[in-house]
Amino acid sequence: MNNQLNFPVGISDFKKIRENDYYYIDKSGLIKELLKRESAEVTLIIRPRRFGKSLNMSMLQSFFEIGKDKTLFDGLRISRSEEHTS
């Protein structure tokens, strides 16, 4: 068994990163933060280049899209959230 995680250089697909055991810094807390906002009609997410916007959008799509594999979030912060588990 290989205990070493690979770095996902150039990969911004959340599903591919999680399924292939790439090194991943958990940013699933972003989902909870977005859900807490009640008055926002539009959410603008701005970051400098190469700061993970595409990966975060892929993560959000995997979370909110009906029919997507929710086991991708096992072990991540959002899976431990009370609102998510109830």
Side-chain angles (χ1 to χ4, degrees):
M1 184 169 137
N2 184 6
N3 290 332
Q4 185 175 358
L5 298 174
N6 295 316
F7 287 97
V9 177
I11 301 173
S12 59
D13 181 7
F14 179 75
K15 181 178 179 182
K16 186 180 285 188
I17 288 173
R18 295 291 292 162
E19 287 181 340
N20 294 305
D21 293 324
Y22 283 104
Y23 186 79
Y24 175 73
I25 295 175
D26 185 4
K27 295 183 180 178
S28 64
L30 172 67
I31 297 168
K32 187 175 179 180
E33 292 300 315
L34 290 173
L35 290 174
K36 284 194 317 188
R37 298 177 187 210
E38 297 176 15
S39 62
E41 284 186 33
V42 175
T43 300
L44 177 64
I45 299 175
I46 56 172
R47 294 285 186 266
R49 290 184 62 218
R50 311 295 308 152
F51 215 81
K53 291 182 298 292
S54 297
L55 178 56
N56 284 336
M57 293 298 107
S58 178
M59 175 190 64
L60 291 170
Q61 179 184 12
S62 293
F63 187 81
F64 288 111
E65 193 168 296
I66 296 171
K68 288 281 189 166
D69 182 10
K70 300 304 181 215
T71 61
L72 295 173
F73 294 91
D74 288 351
L76 298 182
R77 176 182 280 165
I78 193 67
S79 68
R80 296 185 300 268
S81 174
E82 292 176 20
E83 293 86 9
H84 178 262
T85 57
S86 56

